[in-house]
C-alpha cells in the first residue's frame, strides 16, 4: 500500500534516511533531525512531501519517497523533484519502489506537472537498470552541482545588495 505520510511517520522516515545514507556510504551527511523533518513536511509552509510504502500483509513501513515541487522556466510549468526514494533491503523486488514512483507520477499528472526528475548515483547500476526498465531517461549531458558549507558562505559574502 502507498499512502501519504503523516506526522506519526516522521521517526520511520528519519530511520530510513539513515538507512539510505548508509547505503550511499554517507552516514555523516544525513544530519536532519526528526524535528526538522516534522517542520519541513508538516509545518505551516511545507517544504516537501512524502509517501510511505507499507507491506500489504504486515503493514510494516518498507519504504518512502520524499519530493518537492520544482519549476521549469522553459515550459513555464511546475514539476516534481524526487529527493529520496528508498525501499528497505528486505522488501526490495516486491514492487514497492515501482509503486512509489507510479504514485508520484500520478501526483504529477493530477497536478499538471510536466516534469518528474531526480538524481541517481553513477555507481548504483541496479537502481539505474531498474529506472531504465520503466522508461526513465538518464541524462548524461548534465552534471549535478552542490555548493555547501564554507564555499557557500564564501560566495554569499560576495553578494551585492539586492533591492526589493
Amino acid at each position: 500500500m502507498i499512502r501519504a505520510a503523516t506526522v506519526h511517520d516522521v521517526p520511520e522516515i528519519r530511520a530510513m534516511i539513515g538507512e539510505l545514507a548508509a547505503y550511499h556510504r554517507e552516514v555523516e551527511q544525513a544530519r536532519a533531525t526528526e524535528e526538522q523533518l516534522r517542520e519541513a513536511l508538516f509545518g505551516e509552509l511545507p517544504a516537501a512531501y512524502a509517501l510511505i510504502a507499507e507491506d500489504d500483509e504486515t503493514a510494516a513501513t518498507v519504504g518512502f519517497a520524499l519530493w518537492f515541487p520544482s519549476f521549469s522556466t522553459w515550459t513555464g510549468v511546475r514539476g516534481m523533484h524526487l529527493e529520496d526514494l528508498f525501499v528497505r533491503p528486505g522488501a526490495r523486488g516486491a514492487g514497492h519502489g515501482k509503486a512509489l514512483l507510479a504514485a508520484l507520477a500520478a501526483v504529477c499528472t493530477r497536478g499538471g506537472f510536466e516534469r518528474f526528475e531526480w538524481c541517481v548515483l553513477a555507481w548504483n547500476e541496479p537502481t539505474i537498470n531498474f529506472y531504465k526498465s520503466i522508461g526513465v531517461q538518464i541524462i548524461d549531458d548534465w552534471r549535478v552541482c552542490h555548493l555547501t558549507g564554507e564555499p557557500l558562505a564564501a560566495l554569499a559574502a560576495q553578494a551585492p545588495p539586492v533591492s526589493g
Side-chain angles (χ1 to χ4, degrees):
M1 178 176 81
I2 305 299
R3 62 173 177 78
T6 70
V7 70
H8 303 292
D9 293 309
V10 169
E12 279 290 331
I13 292 170
R14 175 61 192 103
M16 288 186 287
I17 290 170
E19 294 169 43
L20 177 61
Y23 179 74
H24 284 191
R25 304 175 195 135
E26 296 183 347
V27 173
E28 67 283 348
Q29 299 298 323
R31 299 184 313 259
T33 66
E34 287 184 23
E35 184 55 41
Q36 288 172 315
L37 292 169
R38 207 172 282 107
E39 180 63 27
L41 296 171
F42 304 104
E44 188 175 326
L45 295 172
Y49 305 90
L51 295 178
I52 297 293
E54 291 181 341
D55 182 88
D56 290 334
E57 294 178 18
T58 66
T61 300
V62 296
F64 82 107
L66 192 141
W67 67 277
F68 55 87
S70 61
F71 180 79
S72 171
T73 57
W74 290 22
T75 66
V77 177
R78 291 179 109 184
M80 176 185 287
H81 179 82
L82 175 60
E83 181 65 18
D84 286 325
L85 174 73
F86 180 73
V87 175
R88 289 183 158 139
R92 292 182 187 155
H96 302 294
K98 187 174 183 179
L100 283 164
L101 288 171
L104 292 170
V107 171
C108 288
T109 59
R110 283 194 309 267
F113 299 179
E114 290 187 7
R115 185 181 295 162
F116 177 19
E117 59 190 2
W118 62 92
C119 299
V120 61
L121 290 169
W123 59 260
N124 196 344
E125 285 298 322
T127 301
I128 291 169
N129 291 335
F130 164 65
Y131 290 154
K132 286 180 177 178
S133 78
I134 61 170
V136 171
Q137 176 188 8
I138 306 293
I139 303 174
D140 292 326
D141 296 342
W142 289 79
R143 300 282 188 223
V144 175
C145 301
H146 280 182
L147 185 61
T148 63
E150 183 54 39
L152 175 62
L155 184 59
Q158 299 173 36
V162 178
S163 63

